[in-house]
Amino acid sequence: MDGSDPRQCLSRRGVLWLASLAAGSAALSAACGSQASPGSRAAAGAAPAAAPTSGASSAGVSRVALIRSDDRVAGTRAAIDLLQPTGLKDRSVFLKPNYNTADPAPAATDTPLLEALVAELRNAGAGAITVGDRSGMADTRRAMEAKGVFALADRLGLQALVLDELDRDGWQRVAAEGTHWPKGFAFARPALEVGAVVNTCCLKTHRFGGDFTLSLKNSVGLVAKVVPGDPHNYMGDLHSSPHQRLMIAEINQAYSPALVLLDGVEAFVDGGPEAGRKVRPGVILAGSDRVAVDVVAVALLRSLGTTDAVARGPLWQLEQIRRAVELGLGAAGADQIEIVTADAAGRAMADDLRRRIAA
């Protein structure tokens, strides 16, 4: 790809336009489509855990729902009920899981959690749902097969998409301007051409230069390693760069998620992404602001005892977070994050995390 075809190359201005379009669509949906659908749990007679509201308040404060649970399915349902996300009704959804490998969670997305999340998206009135990923350490198709994704898709009427198998036209080139990517990067068009993107990630550290892999890092699976007809290796650029953590944040300019769901029932506090020292914090996080979710998740890693790279220095100065804030991708300070909980156990954890976020 030489970037000479304007349909194949997005400038930084184009990226920002895409982001603003996504944000505007979400805002319009919040204003016009936030009522419970007939099939939702609220409409069926079960009261939601909190008054309906979007992930971000009108005052610019991003809400992160925190549920204490060792049950991923129940925790997913409770977190989404508590958050009451908007921007999903009547919209097609691209669901981005974490299939870097097929290892058990927290290495990869738990399949019962994925099924519960699909059910919640449908309860929220979402339209057609596509589940897609590109693995980093494994063969993507084999990883998705091992996790039962294709069988789940057949049973639930989803589309399962192996991003490595997209043709040249399936990738949108984003120009290098304003980034640390030497030749820009190629982003999966299926995630750009839907009504909403949902990012479901795990709680873990990353020993290969990312330091931690949460929702911002999970977006790397939407970037091509190579594009058919173009020999350039974009992942080679990422993994060989001293600016890797900045580059992780920069790819997130290409889209804006309607929902982030983070599985923290188990976590890798050292090692990662596919194996490491495992602990069991028993928590599910949900939000529409990926920076806010990642900040809360980093605070959680710090509370559990983690690597020096994650634990050292002011949280907001960690390179993934600092660069995401510079790019305007989400909350810019502790006063812009509200952690909402459902019970006393959640409140105790949230109180500790708030102190860490504000430090």
Side-chain angles (χ1 to χ4, degrees):
M1 263 193 248
D2 60 9
S4 58
D5 185 344
R7 295 170 297 177
Q8 295 291 325
C9 185
L10 262 180
S11 67
R12 175 174 167 79
R13 180 178 296 175
V15 171
L16 295 175
W17 175 83
L18 275 174
S20 65
L21 180 62
S25 297
L28 180 62
S29 177
C32 302
S34 61
Q35 293 182 346
S37 66
S40 72
R41 206 174 352 263
T53 180
S54 65
S57 75
S58 58
V61 176
S62 297
R63 302 174 75 244
V64 177
L66 184 156
I67 296 294
R68 296 300 309 274
S69 179
D70 287 323
D71 183 327
R72 290 184 170 92
V73 171
T76 294
R77 292 171 177 164
I80 294 175
D81 273 350
L82 184 59
L83 184 72
Q84 291 287 303
T86 60
L88 296 168
K89 185 174 174 58
D90 297 328
R91 294 183 179 275
S92 59
V93 172
F94 187 95
L95 177 50
K96 169 62 176 77
N98 178 197
Y99 294 129
N100 189 57
T101 66
D103 296 293
T109 299
D110 178 74
T111 305
L113 177 148
L114 184 70
E115 183 171 357
L117 178 54
V118 169
E120 292 305 306
L121 295 176
R122 286 179 167 163
N123 284 340
I129 300 173
T130 298
V131 180
D133 203 2
R134 179 194 60 76
S135 299
M137 301 177 71
D139 176 274
T140 307
R141 178 166 287 277
R142 290 180 181 174
M144 292 174 68
E145 285 175 346
K147 298 299 288 186
V149 177
F150 298 109
L152 182 70
D154 288 343
R155 180 160 56 85
L156 299 183
L158 314 174
Q159 180 183 10
L161 189 60
V162 178
L163 297 184
D164 309 77
E165 298 174 3
L166 293 176
D167 61 20
R168 180 185 178 96
D169 291 336
W171 297 100
Q172 172 67 62
R173 186 167 180 268
V174 180
E177 178 189 0
T179 78
H180 292 80
W181 289 81
K183 294 191 175 182
F185 54 89
F187 200 87
R189 284 186 185 274
L192 297 176
E193 296 175 349
V194 294
V197 177
V198 173
N199 179 332
T200 184
C201 51
C202 302
L203 179 64
K204 52 187 176 175
T205 50
H206 190 276
R207 70 184 185 278
F208 298 122
D211 292 346
F212 50 86
T213 174
L214 308 168
S215 70
L216 290 165
K217 179 68 169 63
N218 196 39
S219 299
V220 173
L222 296 173
V223 174
K225 180 177 181 181
V226 295
V227 173
D230 176 10
H232 187 73
N233 188 318
Y234 294 97
M235 291 300 100
D237 287 346
L238 177 66
H239 294 124
S240 64
S241 175
H243 306 299
Q244 180 181 156
R245 292 169 294 280
L246 307 180
M247 295 163 74
I248 289 167
E250 288 163 357
I251 64 175
N252 282 270
Q253 294 177 97
Y255 83 105
S256 183
L259 174 66
V260 174
L261 183 85
L262 185 143
D263 175 5
V265 171
E266 296 174 285
F268 290 142
V269 294
D270 199 349
E274 88 296 1
R277 181 163 62 91
K278 187 187 293 186
V279 299
R280 196 172 181 89
V283 65
I284 298 284
L285 302 178
S288 61
D289 179 337
R290 66 202 122 171
V291 179
V293 171
D294 280 14
V295 164
V296 173
V298 170
L300 182 55
L301 285 173
R302 288 183 167 198
S303 75
L304 299 167
T306 189
T307 64
D308 286 346
V310 178
R312 186 174 53 244
L315 190 159
W316 291 90
Q317 290 303 309
L318 295 173
E319 288 183 306
Q320 279 192 54
I321 302 299
R322 188 185 75 234
R323 184 62 174 144
V325 170
E326 290 171 354
L327 295 170
L329 298 180
D335 60 337
Q336 295 180 16
I337 298 176
E338 178 189 5
I339 305 175
V340 294
T341 62
D343 54 27
R347 287 192 292 274
M349 176 178 277
D351 287 344
D352 175 65
L353 297 180
R354 289 186 192 102
R355 288 191 292 269
R356 295 175 186 274
I357 290 168

